Amino acid sequence: MGNKPETILPPGRVLGIESSCDETAAAIVENGRVLLSSVVASQIDLHARYGGVFPEVASRQHIKTIQAVVDQALQQAHLRLSDLDAIAVTRGPGLAGSLVVGLNMAKGLALATGLPLVGVNHLEGHIYSAWVYPAEAAAPPPEPQFPLLVLLVSGGHSELNLVTGHLKYKRLGGTLDDAAGEAFDKVARLLGLPYPGGPSIQKAAAEGDPKAFPFPRARLDNSWNFSFSGLKTAVLRTVRTLESEGRTLPVKDLAASFQAAVVDVLLTKTLQAAQMHHARQILVAGGVSANRALRDAFLSQKDFPVHIPSLSLCTDNAAMIASAGYFRFALGQRDSLDMDAMPTWPLS
Ligand code: KG4
Ligand code: ZN
Protein backbone atom coordinates (compact mmCIF):
# COMPACT_ATOMS: atom_id res chain seq x y z
CA MET A 1 0.00 0.00 0.00
CA GLY A 2 1.64 3.29 -1.07
CA ASN A 3 1.52 6.50 0.89
CA LYS A 4 1.26 8.86 -2.06
CA PRO A 5 -1.37 11.59 -1.77
CA GLU A 6 -4.21 10.92 -4.20
CA THR A 7 -3.81 14.34 -5.85
CA ILE A 8 -0.58 16.27 -6.39
CA LEU A 9 -1.10 19.57 -4.61
CA PRO A 10 0.94 22.78 -4.89
CA PRO A 11 3.26 23.65 -2.00
CA GLY A 12 2.04 26.14 0.58
CA ARG A 13 2.79 27.53 4.02
CA VAL A 14 -0.32 28.29 6.04
CA LEU A 15 -0.82 30.20 9.28
CA GLY A 16 -3.68 28.64 11.25
CA ILE A 17 -5.67 30.49 13.91
CA GLU A 18 -7.98 28.74 16.38
CA SER A 19 -10.18 30.32 19.07
CA SER A 20 -13.40 28.27 19.04
CA CYS A 21 -13.47 27.42 22.74
CA ASP A 22 -10.98 27.95 25.54
CA GLU A 23 -7.61 27.73 23.78
CA THR A 24 -6.12 30.64 21.84
CA ALA A 25 -3.85 29.08 19.26
CA ALA A 26 -1.74 29.87 16.21
CA ALA A 27 0.50 27.58 14.16
CA ILE A 28 2.33 27.39 10.86
CA VAL A 29 2.21 24.21 8.79
CA GLU A 30 3.87 23.54 5.44
CA ASN A 31 2.13 21.55 2.72
CA GLY A 32 -0.58 20.48 5.16
CA ARG A 33 1.81 18.23 7.08
CA VAL A 34 5.07 19.73 8.31
CA LEU A 35 4.71 21.53 11.63
CA LEU A 36 6.91 24.63 11.71
CA SER A 37 5.46 26.12 14.90
CA SER A 38 2.51 25.72 17.24
CA VAL A 39 1.49 27.95 20.13
CA VAL A 40 -1.46 27.23 22.42
CA ALA A 41 -2.46 29.61 25.21
CA SER A 42 -4.74 27.56 27.42
CA GLN A 43 -7.45 29.13 29.56
CA ILE A 44 -8.01 25.99 31.62
CA ASP A 45 -6.96 27.64 34.89
CA LEU A 46 -9.38 30.52 34.31
CA HIS A 47 -12.35 28.20 33.72
CA ALA A 48 -11.52 25.48 36.26
CA ARG A 49 -13.17 27.46 39.06
CA TYR A 50 -16.47 27.38 37.10
CA GLY A 51 -16.14 23.63 36.43
CA GLY A 52 -16.47 24.29 32.68
CA VAL A 53 -15.94 26.93 30.01
CA PHE A 54 -17.51 30.33 30.81
CA PRO A 55 -18.18 31.81 27.33
CA GLU A 56 -17.75 35.51 28.10
CA VAL A 57 -14.56 34.94 30.06
CA ALA A 58 -13.28 32.87 27.10
CA SER A 59 -13.85 35.55 24.44
CA ARG A 60 -12.34 38.31 26.58
CA GLN A 61 -9.27 36.18 27.21
CA HIS A 62 -8.89 35.43 23.48
CA ILE A 63 -8.83 39.18 22.82
CA LYS A 64 -6.05 39.65 25.36
CA THR A 65 -3.78 36.88 24.06
CA ILE A 66 -4.36 36.41 20.35
CA GLN A 67 -1.89 38.99 19.03
CA ALA A 68 0.94 37.59 21.18
CA VAL A 69 0.08 34.01 20.21
CA VAL A 70 0.23 34.80 16.48
CA ASP A 71 3.51 36.74 16.91
CA GLN A 72 5.00 33.82 18.81
CA ALA A 73 3.97 31.32 16.11
CA LEU A 74 5.78 33.43 13.50
CA GLN A 75 8.85 33.85 15.72
CA GLN A 76 9.09 30.12 16.53
CA ALA A 77 9.00 29.31 12.81
CA HIS A 78 11.51 32.11 12.03
CA LEU A 79 9.10 33.43 9.44
CA ARG A 80 7.42 36.71 8.53
CA LEU A 81 3.90 37.15 7.23
CA SER A 82 5.36 37.70 3.77
CA ASP A 83 6.72 34.11 3.85
CA LEU A 84 3.19 32.67 4.05
CA ASP A 85 0.77 31.60 1.33
CA ALA A 86 -2.55 31.73 3.17
CA ILE A 87 -4.27 32.34 6.49
CA ALA A 88 -6.67 29.68 7.76
CA VAL A 89 -9.04 30.27 10.63
CA THR A 90 -11.66 28.29 12.53
CA ARG A 91 -15.08 29.48 11.39
CA GLY A 92 -17.09 27.07 13.56
CA PRO A 93 -18.52 25.16 15.31
CA GLY A 94 -17.81 26.76 18.67
CA LEU A 95 -18.67 29.66 20.94
CA ALA A 96 -19.77 32.64 18.82
CA GLY A 97 -17.96 35.26 20.89
CA SER A 98 -14.75 33.23 20.83
CA LEU A 99 -14.86 32.38 17.11
CA VAL A 100 -15.26 36.06 16.22
CA VAL A 101 -11.96 36.95 17.90
CA GLY A 102 -9.97 34.50 15.75
CA LEU A 103 -11.90 35.46 12.63
CA ASN A 104 -11.23 39.16 13.14
CA MET A 105 -7.54 38.54 13.72
CA ALA A 106 -7.33 36.46 10.53
CA LYS A 107 -9.27 39.04 8.54
CA GLY A 108 -7.06 41.89 9.79
CA LEU A 109 -3.95 39.96 8.75
CA ALA A 110 -5.44 39.05 5.36
CA LEU A 111 -6.43 42.66 4.74
CA ALA A 112 -3.01 44.00 5.72
CA THR A 113 -0.99 41.45 3.73
CA GLY A 114 -3.27 40.57 0.81
CA LEU A 115 -2.93 36.88 1.74
CA PRO A 116 -5.89 34.60 0.92
CA LEU A 117 -8.27 33.82 3.79
CA VAL A 118 -9.64 30.30 4.30
CA GLY A 119 -12.38 29.38 6.79
CA VAL A 120 -12.10 25.91 8.34
CA ASN A 121 -14.51 23.66 10.20
CA HIS A 122 -13.07 22.84 13.62
CA LEU A 123 -14.08 19.15 13.31
CA GLU A 124 -12.29 18.93 9.98
CA GLY A 125 -9.29 20.42 11.76
CA HIS A 126 -9.34 17.62 14.33
CA ILE A 127 -9.29 15.06 11.51
CA TYR A 128 -6.35 16.76 9.77
CA SER A 129 -4.34 16.84 12.99
CA ALA A 130 -3.41 13.26 12.05
CA TRP A 131 -1.65 14.53 8.91
CA VAL A 132 0.71 16.78 10.89
CA TYR A 133 4.23 15.79 11.97
CA PRO A 134 7.11 17.81 13.43
CA ALA A 135 9.63 19.37 11.05
CA GLU A 136 12.41 17.61 13.01
CA ALA A 137 11.05 14.11 12.15
CA ALA A 138 13.60 11.92 10.38
CA ALA A 139 11.02 10.89 7.77
CA PRO A 140 7.35 11.70 7.16
CA PRO A 141 5.03 9.22 8.88
CA PRO A 142 2.59 7.47 6.52
CA GLU A 143 -0.28 9.63 5.34
CA PRO A 144 -3.80 8.39 6.22
CA GLN A 145 -5.33 6.48 3.30
CA PHE A 146 -8.91 6.81 2.06
CA PRO A 147 -11.56 5.51 2.52
CA LEU A 148 -10.92 6.34 6.13
CA LEU A 149 -13.26 5.63 9.03
CA VAL A 150 -12.96 8.56 11.45
CA LEU A 151 -13.96 8.47 15.10
CA LEU A 152 -14.12 12.08 16.25
CA VAL A 153 -14.43 12.38 20.03
CA SER A 154 -14.15 15.78 21.68
CA GLY A 155 -15.82 17.86 24.37
CA GLY A 156 -18.58 18.95 22.01
CA HIS A 157 -18.82 16.12 19.47
CA SER A 158 -18.73 12.35 19.14
CA GLU A 159 -19.27 11.09 15.66
CA LEU A 160 -18.34 8.51 13.08
CA ASN A 161 -17.57 9.74 9.58
CA LEU A 162 -16.50 7.95 6.45
CA VAL A 163 -13.93 10.11 4.65
CA THR A 164 -13.68 9.08 1.02
CA GLY A 165 -11.09 11.65 -0.09
CA HIS A 166 -9.69 15.02 0.97
CA LEU A 167 -12.56 17.13 2.37
CA LYS A 168 -15.19 14.49 1.47
CA TYR A 169 -17.17 13.43 4.51
CA LYS A 170 -20.14 11.16 5.03
CA ARG A 171 -21.51 11.27 8.56
CA LEU A 172 -22.55 7.80 9.69
CA GLY A 173 -23.78 8.68 13.17
CA GLY A 174 -23.14 10.61 16.32
CA THR A 175 -24.05 10.92 19.95
CA LEU A 176 -27.72 11.13 20.83
CA ASP A 177 -26.95 12.93 24.09
CA ASP A 178 -23.57 13.76 25.66
CA ALA A 179 -20.35 13.91 23.66
CA ALA A 180 -17.68 11.48 24.92
CA GLY A 181 -15.55 14.32 26.34
CA GLU A 182 -18.61 15.85 27.96
CA ALA A 183 -19.33 12.49 29.64
CA PHE A 184 -15.73 12.44 30.97
CA ASP A 185 -16.17 16.02 32.27
CA LYS A 186 -19.54 15.31 33.92
CA VAL A 187 -18.47 12.03 35.53
CA ALA A 188 -15.27 13.67 36.81
CA ARG A 189 -17.43 16.31 38.51
CA LEU A 190 -19.57 13.55 40.06
CA LEU A 191 -16.43 11.92 41.43
CA GLY A 192 -15.08 15.22 42.76
CA LEU A 193 -12.24 15.31 40.23
CA PRO A 194 -11.06 18.62 38.71
CA TYR A 195 -11.90 20.10 35.28
CA PRO A 196 -11.15 19.13 32.55
CA GLY A 197 -12.50 15.71 33.40
CA GLY A 198 -10.76 13.60 30.75
CA PRO A 199 -7.20 13.91 32.06
CA SER A 200 -8.43 13.69 35.71
CA ILE A 201 -10.35 10.47 35.05
CA GLN A 202 -7.41 9.01 33.15
CA LYS A 203 -5.09 9.77 36.08
CA ALA A 204 -7.45 8.29 38.69
CA ALA A 205 -8.22 5.28 36.44
CA ALA A 206 -4.53 4.40 36.12
CA GLU A 207 -4.63 3.02 39.68
CA GLY A 208 -8.17 1.62 39.54
CA ASP A 209 -9.77 -1.68 38.56
CA PRO A 210 -11.66 -1.37 35.25
CA LYS A 211 -13.75 -4.43 36.17
CA ALA A 212 -14.78 -3.19 39.62
CA PHE A 213 -18.16 -1.88 38.42
CA PRO A 214 -19.93 -3.48 35.41
CA PHE A 215 -21.24 -0.22 33.93
CA PRO A 216 -23.58 -0.48 30.91
CA ARG A 217 -22.35 -0.28 27.32
CA ALA A 218 -25.00 1.33 25.10
CA ARG A 219 -24.30 -0.27 21.76
CA LEU A 220 -27.49 0.94 20.01
CA ASP A 221 -27.40 -1.96 17.59
CA ASN A 222 -28.01 -1.32 13.91
CA SER A 223 -27.00 2.32 14.14
CA TRP A 224 -23.73 4.25 14.22
CA ASN A 225 -25.00 6.46 17.00
CA PHE A 226 -23.65 6.68 20.53
CA SER A 227 -25.33 7.39 23.86
CA PHE A 228 -23.46 8.14 27.07
CA SER A 229 -26.27 9.41 29.30
CA GLY A 230 -27.22 5.91 30.56
CA LEU A 231 -23.61 5.30 31.55
CA LYS A 232 -23.41 8.67 33.30
CA THR A 233 -26.64 7.90 35.19
CA ALA A 234 -25.31 4.47 36.18
CA VAL A 235 -22.20 6.11 37.68
CA LEU A 236 -24.41 8.65 39.48
CA ARG A 237 -26.62 5.89 40.94
CA THR A 238 -23.61 3.92 42.11
CA VAL A 239 -22.13 7.02 43.75
CA ARG A 240 -25.44 7.80 45.52
CA THR A 241 -25.79 4.20 46.76
CA LEU A 242 -22.23 4.11 48.08
CA GLU A 243 -22.69 7.50 49.76
CA SER A 244 -26.00 6.46 51.35
CA GLU A 245 -24.20 3.44 52.79
CA GLY A 246 -21.66 5.84 54.30
CA ARG A 247 -18.80 4.31 52.32
CA THR A 248 -15.78 6.21 51.04
CA LEU A 249 -16.05 6.52 47.28
CA PRO A 250 -13.65 4.16 45.46
CA VAL A 251 -12.89 6.98 43.01
CA LYS A 252 -10.08 5.14 41.21
CA ASP A 253 -12.21 2.03 40.56
CA LEU A 254 -15.20 4.13 39.49
CA ALA A 255 -13.02 6.16 37.11
CA ALA A 256 -11.39 3.03 35.65
CA SER A 257 -14.73 1.24 35.20
CA PHE A 258 -16.33 4.29 33.56
CA GLN A 259 -13.34 4.78 31.23
CA ALA A 260 -13.38 1.08 30.26
CA ALA A 261 -17.07 1.31 29.32
CA VAL A 262 -16.51 4.37 27.11
CA VAL A 263 -13.46 2.86 25.42
CA ASP A 264 -15.26 -0.45 24.84
CA VAL A 265 -18.21 1.24 23.10
CA LEU A 266 -16.04 3.56 20.99
CA LEU A 267 -13.72 0.75 19.86
CA THR A 268 -16.47 -1.78 19.09
CA LYS A 269 -18.61 0.64 17.08
CA THR A 270 -15.70 2.08 15.15
CA LEU A 271 -14.40 -1.36 14.14
CA GLN A 272 -17.88 -2.46 13.09
CA ALA A 273 -18.39 0.70 11.02
CA ALA A 274 -14.97 0.33 9.40
CA GLN A 275 -15.76 -3.26 8.41
CA MET A 276 -19.25 -2.49 7.17
CA HIS A 277 -18.11 0.50 5.09
CA HIS A 278 -15.00 -1.19 3.73
CA ALA A 279 -12.66 1.41 5.16
CA ARG A 280 -8.97 0.99 4.47
CA GLN A 281 -7.83 2.60 7.70
CA ILE A 282 -9.14 4.14 10.93
CA LEU A 283 -8.41 7.59 12.32
CA VAL A 284 -9.22 8.64 15.89
CA ALA A 285 -9.17 12.37 16.67
CA GLY A 286 -10.47 15.05 19.06
CA GLY A 287 -9.60 15.78 22.68
CA VAL A 288 -10.65 12.33 23.94
CA SER A 289 -8.15 10.70 21.54
CA ALA A 290 -5.52 11.86 24.06
CA ASN A 291 -6.88 9.16 26.39
CA ARG A 292 -4.24 6.50 27.03
CA ALA A 293 -6.72 3.61 27.39
CA LEU A 294 -8.49 4.60 24.16
CA ARG A 295 -5.20 4.90 22.27
CA ASP A 296 -3.98 1.54 23.59
CA ALA A 297 -7.26 -0.16 22.67
CA PHE A 298 -7.10 1.09 19.07
CA LEU A 299 -3.39 0.49 18.67
CA SER A 300 -3.59 -3.07 19.95
CA GLN A 301 -6.35 -4.26 17.61
CA LYS A 302 -5.09 -5.91 14.44
CA ASP A 303 -7.97 -5.45 12.00
CA PHE A 304 -7.15 -1.97 10.66
CA PRO A 305 -4.13 0.35 10.50
CA VAL A 306 -4.88 3.25 12.88
CA HIS A 307 -3.85 6.90 12.87
CA ILE A 308 -4.05 8.93 16.08
CA PRO A 309 -2.57 12.44 16.31
CA SER A 310 0.41 13.00 18.58
CA LEU A 311 -0.71 13.91 22.12
CA SER A 312 -0.15 17.66 21.78
CA LEU A 313 -2.35 17.74 18.67
CA CYS A 314 -5.32 15.81 20.12
CA THR A 315 -6.80 18.69 22.09
CA ASP A 316 -7.54 22.04 20.47
CA ASN A 317 -4.65 23.58 18.57
CA ALA A 318 -4.07 25.62 15.43
CA ALA A 319 -1.78 23.22 13.55
CA MET A 320 -4.85 21.16 12.69
CA ILE A 321 -6.54 24.29 11.31
CA ALA A 322 -3.47 25.21 9.27
CA SER A 323 -3.36 21.65 7.88
CA ALA A 324 -7.04 21.49 6.91
CA GLY A 325 -6.73 25.09 5.66
CA TYR A 326 -3.84 24.07 3.42
CA PHE A 327 -5.92 21.33 1.72
CA ARG A 328 -8.83 23.76 1.26
CA PHE A 329 -6.47 26.47 -0.07
CA ALA A 330 -4.72 24.01 -2.40
CA LEU A 331 -8.07 22.83 -3.73
CA GLY A 332 -9.11 26.41 -4.48
CA GLN A 333 -11.12 27.69 -1.52
CA ARG A 334 -10.93 31.44 -0.87
CA ASP A 335 -13.15 33.24 1.63
CA SER A 336 -14.05 36.91 1.72
CA LEU A 337 -13.69 39.42 4.53
CA ASP A 338 -17.41 39.20 5.28
CA MET A 339 -17.09 35.52 6.26
CA ASP A 340 -19.19 35.08 9.40
CA ALA A 341 -18.76 32.73 12.36
CA MET A 342 -20.83 29.53 12.26
CA PRO A 343 -21.32 28.44 15.90
CA THR A 344 -23.29 25.38 14.71
CA TRP A 345 -21.76 23.83 11.61
CA PRO A 346 -21.94 20.11 10.89
CA LEU A 347 -19.03 18.59 9.00
CA SER A 348 -21.25 17.07 6.35
O1 KG4 B 1 -11.06 18.63 21.21
P1 KG4 B 1 -11.10 19.33 22.50
O2 KG4 B 1 -9.83 19.94 23.03
O3 KG4 B 1 -12.15 20.47 22.50
C1 KG4 B 1 -13.37 20.36 21.80
O4 KG4 B 1 -13.36 20.56 20.57
O5 KG4 B 1 -14.35 20.01 22.49
O6 KG4 B 1 -11.68 18.26 23.55
C2 KG4 B 1 -11.80 18.56 24.90
C3 KG4 B 1 -12.37 17.34 25.59
C4 KG4 B 1 -12.73 17.58 27.05
O7 KG4 B 1 -14.02 17.07 27.28
C5 KG4 B 1 -11.68 16.79 27.80
O8 KG4 B 1 -12.14 16.27 29.04
C6 KG4 B 1 -11.38 15.67 26.82
O9 KG4 B 1 -11.40 16.28 25.56
N1 KG4 B 1 -10.06 15.09 27.07
C7 KG4 B 1 -9.88 13.80 27.45
C8 KG4 B 1 -8.48 13.66 27.69
N2 KG4 B 1 -7.87 14.85 27.41
C9 KG4 B 1 -8.86 15.71 27.03
N3 KG4 B 1 -10.75 12.81 27.64
C10 KG4 B 1 -10.26 11.63 28.07
N4 KG4 B 1 -8.96 11.41 28.34
C11 KG4 B 1 -8.03 12.38 28.15
N5 KG4 B 1 -6.74 12.15 28.42
ZN1 ZN C 1 -11.84 20.60 19.47
Side-chain angles (χ1 to χ4, degrees):
M1 227 183 268
N3 290 314
K4 290 197 195 82
E6 48 176 26
T7 330
I8 303 298
L9 298 172
R13 235 181 241 149
V14 178
L15 167 69
I17 296 177
E18 154 66 37
S19 69
S20 65
C21 192
D22 60 343
E23 323 278 4
T24 321
I28 300 172
V29 173
E30 199 163 61
N31 305 337
R33 298 207 68 196
V34 186
L35 183 64
L36 302 183
S37 67
S38 178
V39 179
V40 180
S42 172
Q43 304 179 4
I44 282 179
D45 294 346
L46 266 181
H47 299 285
R49 76 185 82 145
Y50 306 108
V53 179
F54 197 114
E56 192 180 324
V57 172
S59 37
R60 285 170 187 264
Q61 190 62 22
H62 286 308
I63 293 171
K64 284 188 191 158
T65 42
I66 197 154
Q67 174 79 56
V69 166
V70 169
D71 286 347
Q72 221 178 315
L74 285 161
Q75 275 165 24
Q76 273 184 15
H78 305 291
L79 293 173
R80 286 173 301 187
L81 286 167
S82 55
D83 299 316
L84 303 175
D85 297 289
I87 296 170
V89 60
T90 306
R91 188 178 181 188
L95 302 169
S98 289
L99 289 165
V100 164
V101 179
L103 275 167
N104 284 345
M105 182 74 200
K107 288 179 186 181
L109 290 173
L111 189 61
T113 57
L115 286 168
L117 180 67
V118 180
V120 171
N121 184 303
H122 180 85
L123 306 180
E124 180 171 76
H126 274 302
I127 295 173
Y128 275 91
S129 58
W131 263 257
V132 179
Y133 65 88
E136 313 79 63
E143 194 167 349
Q145 301 287 302
F146 306 114
L148 193 59
L149 205 292
V150 175
L151 169 69
L152 189 62
V153 270
S154 68
H157 297 83
S158 291
E159 46 183 75
L160 284 170
N161 281 277
L162 184 68
V163 187
T164 51
H166 279 301
L167 317 176
K168 290 182 191 142
Y169 311 102
K170 183 176 174 222
R171 188 177 191 274
L172 304 178
T175 183
L176 302 177
D177 36 62
D178 293 339
E182 196 180 354
F184 269 95
D185 294 336
K186 288 180 177 172
V187 167
R189 208 174 307 157
L190 268 177
L191 301 180
L193 297 170
Y195 173 85
S200 310
I201 295 231
Q202 171 172 312
K203 197 167 164 216
E207 292 171 17
D209 175 5
K211 296 205 173 95
F213 297 92
F215 289 134
R217 275 83 166 141
R219 300 212 193 277
L220 309 179
D221 288 340
N222 304 319
S223 92
W224 303 121
N225 292 324
F226 299 108
S227 168
F228 296 107
S229 70
L231 171 59
K232 186 185 62 190
T233 309
V235 179
L236 174 65
R237 274 209 210 100
T238 307
V239 168
R240 293 252 166 91
T241 306
L242 291 165
E243 282 174 345
S244 70
E245 291 166 355
R247 289 166 57 188
T248 314
L249 279 188
V251 171
K252 292 172 181 171
D253 287 346
L254 287 163
S257 303
F258 162 77
Q259 181 177 266
V262 175
V263 169
D264 188 8
V265 169
L266 294 177
L267 176 71
T268 309
K269 285 236 154 196
T270 307
L271 290 178
Q272 281 170 353
Q275 265 145 14
M276 195 79 99
H277 291 274
H278 308 291
R280 210 159 148 193
Q281 301 187 340
I282 286 174
L283 190 160
V284 188
V288 180
S289 68
N291 186 268
R292 190 73 263 163
L294 186 71
R295 296 171 83 89
D296 288 347
F298 272 94
L299 294 173
S300 56
Q301 60 74 41
K302 300 276 177 267
D303 296 345
F304 291 90
V306 173
H307 298 267
I308 312 181
S310 59
L311 272 183
S312 62
L313 297 180
C314 288
T315 45
D316 289 350
N317 66 85
M320 65 187 204
I321 303 303
S323 173
Y326 162 77
F327 287 99
R328 293 208 156 264
F329 166 72
L331 293 169
Q333 180 177 321
R334 305 289 182 269
D335 287 300
S336 60
L337 291 175
D338 62 3
M339 169 169 58
D340 200 2
M342 291 178 70
T344 309
W345 186 14
L347 187 56
S348 59

